[in-house]
Amino acid sequence: MSRTRAVRAASLAVAAMSMTALGTGTALAGNNDGAPGSGSFAPEDEGADSPGGAGPVSAGSASSKAARCQDADGLFLKTYKAVHYKGRTAELQTEALDDQQAIGYAKDIATGDTVYVLRSKKKYEMENEPQYFKEIKGGHVGCSRTADWFEANIKDYVTSPAVQLQIPGKNLSHAVKMCVAPQEGGLKCQKKWVVDHK
């Protein structure tokens, strides 16, 4: 085996162990209005409420998690200004062609950094231009992924699983936003929720 293949095999083995240890693709649910870090949102502890009574955040059933945390298929493009925080650059990206999914994307990351994508439970009627809201009503759900060694050191970016954006065949879209949480602490989110346009 060549040295390059040996290094690649070792990197993949470490990445697989990191993914198992860190747990990727976490589902989130916030039952109160507000942004992550405001007491109504926190990463879940697989089926438990968030620590300290900061607001109920539960995994729900495996089928409900699968329904809201989807594989991100297709080409995704930045749709809102980037968030810069502790050396990380994070952005909300939406599907370029069908506009049915949205993801959180973060680059210049370290192992243990987490990227979140949130979507409103409520559906909004789309207009000709995107709509922006400081707050939403009806709560939100979301997904996250924590960067493993491979994502941080080889790829240098991490993406969350996708959440639904537009509703196929209807003039409706969920409001979406993203957040980034560096492994050394802190959390920064987009200032506004975004509703897609026609």
Side-chain angles (χ1 to χ4, degrees), residues 71-184:
D71 288 334
D73 296 325
L75 174 65
F76 288 79
L77 301 173
K78 177 177 142 182
T79 56
Y80 190 69
K81 55 186 160 185
V83 169
H84 302 282
Y85 187 57
K86 295 186 177 180
R88 282 67 166 184
T89 300
E91 56 193 40
L92 177 69
Q93 296 186 350
T94 57
E95 201 174 10
L97 298 177
D98 294 335
D99 283 333
Q100 291 183 22
Q101 294 181 323
I103 61 172
Y105 169 92
K107 64 182 179 179
D108 304 323
I109 58 168
T111 303
D113 288 359
T114 302
V115 64
Y116 301 91
V117 63
L118 311 176
R119 77 155 173 85
S120 63
K121 292 181 180 177
K122 179 181 175 180
K123 299 169 190 131
Y124 295 84
E125 190 158 335
M126 292 187 293
E127 298 180 358
N128 290 330
E129 298 294 326
Q131 301 169 69
Y132 302 96
F133 300 102
K134 285 187 178 179
E135 296 180 11
I136 58 166
K137 296 187 191 239
H140 62 269
V141 295
C143 304
S144 72
R145 178 165 285 127
T146 300
D148 61 32
W149 181 91
F150 183 78
E151 289 163 325
N153 294 286
I154 305 299
K155 292 169 56 177
D156 199 29
Y157 73 90
V158 64
T159 59
S160 70
V163 293
Q164 186 177 30
L165 180 62
Q166 289 189 15
I167 314 306
K170 300 188 177 183
N171 191 36
L172 298 173
S173 173
H174 292 282
V176 291
K177 74 187 300 185
M178 61 72 51
C179 305
V180 63
Q183 54 84 22
E184 67 263 31

Side-chain angles (χ1 to χ4, degrees), residues 15-99:
M17 288 186 295
S18 297
M19 281 197 264
T20 302
L22 292 173
T24 60
T26 304
L28 305 170
N31 294 325
N32 302 316
D33 294 338
S38 68
S40 64
F41 171 99
E44 71 187 5
D45 184 14
E46 286 300 322
D49 283 346
S50 57
V57 178
S58 59
S61 68
S63 62
S64 68
K65 175 182 173 182
R68 70 175 175 260
C69 296
Q70 309 161 4
D71 288 334
D73 296 325
L75 174 65
F76 288 79
L77 301 173
K78 177 177 142 182
T79 56
Y80 190 69
K81 55 186 160 185
V83 169
H84 302 282
Y85 187 57
K86 295 186 177 180
R88 282 67 166 184
T89 300
E91 56 193 40
L92 177 69
Q93 296 186 350
T94 57
E95 201 174 10
L97 298 177
D98 294 335
D99 283 333

